[in-house]
Amino acid sequence: MGGEVHQRHHHTDNDVVVGHTNNKDNNNAVLSPSNSDQGENFQRAASFGLLATINIAGGWVFGYNCGVVGGAVDVLELEIGSIVSWEKGLLTSSIVIGAMFGSILGGPFADKYGRRAGVLLIAALGLVLAVVLAASYNLPMIIAVRGLLGLPVGLSSAICPMYVAESAPVKNRGTLGTFFQLGICFSIFVSYCMTPIFLNVQDGWRFMFGLGAVAAIVLGAVGYYMPESPMWSNGKKIVSAEEDYLLLSTNASAQRNAKMPLRAALSVGVVLAVANQLTGINAFMFYANDIFSSAGVSKPIYATIGLGFWNFASALVATFFVDRLGRRPLILGGTVVMAISCVALGLVTLLHNIKTVGALSVVLLFVFILAFESGDGPLFWITMQELFTEENKTFGATFLNATQWCFNIMLCFGFPVLSKQIGQANCFYIFGGVGVICSVVLFFALPETKTK
């Protein structure tokens, strides 16, 4: 963290303080400081709400634009005919390819121009590209524009969790960090609900893609009023008692400097990225309709909607327990259960009774989602910020973010092709094997980062 910060009052480790507002700049106006307990409580609540909204809106940009493709493909096929497996894989993974580049650019951009500028860029790109996507006139254009739309998706995964991690007090940092995943999960659920609504609507896929602009508008509105990150402000030496900022206590900042060496943190982080992606989460979420259809579920669209709601509800587990139990037990427990669920899914496909296969597949998918959203899903975004020292965080978090997007690309593009070649059951066994390996490595290597 940058130079010494001059404070008006003494604060505890758990305080988030809102600075005095300069009337000449309304963009960063939040609240004026108050000496009364009521005023301080209101400040904390407002600051908590602002940080939560930033992460939710950023996750919404991420989740809706990624998740809507599963249903949009079904609607699109009604108009242009069948889409072959490699085209479906490219349509799904193009946004992920763009997101990988966005995640690489996010850290350096936010370091140079600030976190607030990054959030506004995400909103602007997300709005424009969602409109262009809705106006696309053929499949190649849709694939290309979705690739470009990946840029704001990747930027959001880099900048929004970074801003919240830098601005939140240690006591609530884990809880606030999970709101990014909550935003992802809720928006994926909303995107699934769009399928039955627009399935029989002329050009329904255009409406489905175009609604991604809503998330960008919300994030832009929040970004317009958000103050700059105190850590970035300190580094740029623009913080004073008279300016607008969210100020972390110096004690909390000192705690954060006791992190892992760079190589060790990168090694643990890569294993977390593997557990986050290569255990199969996005194969299940993006191709849920196909998986349920293969399992004999009569109405896969509605089963997928139910899965989307369960995905969101499950993420609340981490929100309630991450700052109580810590990161390590939730990640380890979730990874073990994910591995068991994947292997069980593979075994279930060996049964001959179609109804039994369908019922057990639904149950096991729901168990897998609960385990993922209780651990690896939301906690990856938090832990990748907490593993590194401040001087290594931009490089380290950017590297891990880009790495998980690379694994995401492999999964999104490879799953439909691989499942055709070796069958879904063998894919599930591979996911389970990856989960077992990650569980063992993380048991010995993953530290608790709750107070770091």
Side-chain angles (χ1 to χ4, degrees):
M1 189 166 176
E4 182 180 13
V5 180
H6 299 287
Q7 298 174 302
R8 293 185 177 184
H9 313 287
H10 172 72
H11 307 288
T12 68
D13 287 357
N14 299 328
D15 287 344
V16 175
V17 183
V18 181
H20 178 70
T21 300
N22 186 334
N23 292 329
K24 294 181 180 180
D25 184 2
N26 291 326
N27 290 347
N28 292 333
V30 185
L31 290 170
S32 298
S34 170
N35 291 325
S36 67
D37 290 340
Q38 183 178 4
E40 289 180 1
N41 290 336
F42 182 74
Q43 286 179 349
R44 292 192 188 97
S47 300
F48 187 96
L50 176 68
L51 294 174
T53 305
I54 290 167
N55 250 356
I56 289 172
W60 190 0
V61 170
F62 182 138
Y64 184 87
N65 288 307
C66 287
V68 72
V69 67
V73 167
D74 295 335
V75 180
L76 188 60
E77 283 186 314
L78 295 177
E79 294 191 23
I80 68 173
S82 178
I83 299 175
V84 298
S85 60
W86 71 266
E87 290 177 324
K88 189 177 291 187
L90 192 56
L91 181 59
T92 302
S93 63
S94 59
I95 194 170
V96 183
I97 295 170
M100 180 190 69
F101 289 104
S103 68
I104 293 171
L105 297 172
F109 181 92
D111 270 1
K112 184 173 183 179
Y113 299 105
R115 285 46 167 155
R116 182 173 178 271
V119 168
L120 294 175
L121 177 63
I122 295 165
L125 289 175
L127 174 59
V128 171
L129 290 170
V131 173
V132 173
L133 181 60
S136 298
Y137 52 82
N138 58 31
L139 186 59
M141 184 175 178
I142 293 172
I143 292 172
V145 176
R146 274 184 60 80
L148 292 175
L149 188 58
L151 291 174
V153 170
L155 288 168
S156 73
S157 71
I159 295 173
C160 294
M162 179 191 299
Y163 176 82
V164 172
E166 291 176 350
S167 303
V170 172
K171 179 181 178 181
N172 303 122
R173 192 170 67 235
T175 299
L176 284 164
T178 64
F179 279 90
F180 186 74
Q181 188 73 13
L182 284 175
I184 294 173
C185 294
F186 182 73
S187 59
I188 288 175
F189 167 63
V190 171
S191 74
Y192 287 170
C193 292
M194 297 299 103
T195 304
I197 294 174
F198 291 106
L199 186 61
N200 297 311
V201 175
Q202 181 68 29
D203 291 329
W205 61 272
R206 297 185 187 275
F207 293 100
M208 295 175 72
F209 284 139
L211 285 171
V214 175
I217 293 171
V218 172
L219 184 62
V222 177
Y224 182 80
Y225 290 103
M226 66 182 265
E228 187 50 83
S229 158
M231 196 165 294
W232 186 84
S233 298
N234 270 343
K236 297 295 180 182
K237 302 184 186 303
I238 63 172
V239 172
S240 72
E242 302 302 321
E243 293 175 311
D244 303 316
Y245 60 92
L246 293 175
L247 184 61
L248 300 176
S249 74
T250 54
N251 289 337
S253 301
Q255 278 186 317
R256 296 187 187 186
N257 288 324
K259 308 293 180 73
M260 299 177 70
L262 180 58
R263 287 188 179 181
L266 286 173
S267 299
V268 172
V270 168
V271 178
L272 286 173
V274 171
N276 187 261
Q277 291 297 330
L278 296 186
T279 49
I281 179 60
N282 283 327
F284 298 138
M285 298 306 296
F286 292 169
Y287 299 105
N289 276 355
D290 293 343
I291 293 172
F292 284 132
S293 295
S294 299
V297 177
S298 59
K299 294 183 178 181
I301 290 177
Y302 296 103
T304 300
I305 291 173
L307 185 69
F309 177 78
W310 179 251
N311 185 47
F312 167 68
S314 298
L316 294 171
V317 174
T319 299
F320 286 117
F321 290 108
V322 63
D323 284 322
R324 294 176 173 86
L325 301 181
R327 287 52 158 160
R328 178 180 161 87
L330 291 176
I331 290 173
L332 290 177
T335 306
V336 169
V337 175
M338 286 158 57
I340 294 172
S341 300
C342 287
V343 173
L345 270 169
L347 294 173
V348 161
T349 61
L350 300 176
L351 300 176
H352 298 292
N353 188 307
I354 295 178
K355 289 186 178 180
T356 301
V357 171
L360 289 177
S361 295
V362 171
V363 171
L364 289 169
L365 273 178
F366 275 55
V367 172
F368 177 92
I369 294 298
L370 175 61
F372 178 83
E373 295 298 351
S374 300
D376 296 82
L379 299 190
F380 173 78
W381 308 107
I382 302 168
T383 308
M384 77 172 186
Q385 301 288 336
E386 296 176 336
L387 285 172
F388 300 99
T389 60
E390 301 305 340
E391 59 268 23
N392 291 328
K393 186 171 68 174
T394 296
F395 168 76
T398 298
F399 177 83
L400 294 183
N401 202 350
T403 299
Q404 72 88 24
W405 281 113
C406 287
F407 293 147
N408 200 331
I409 293 168
M410 293 169 55
L411 188 64
C412 291
F413 188 76
F415 180 74
V417 177
L418 195 62
S419 62
K420 291 277 187 182
Q421 298 295 322
I422 66 174
Q424 284 189 359
N426 288 324
C427 290
F428 297 150
Y429 293 142
I430 292 172
F431 295 153
V434 171
V436 170
I437 294 171
C438 289
S439 297
V440 173
V441 174
L442 291 174
F443 178 81
F444 291 104
L446 179 66
E448 177 57 69
T449 61
K450 178 180 176 182
T451 59
K452 293 185 178 181

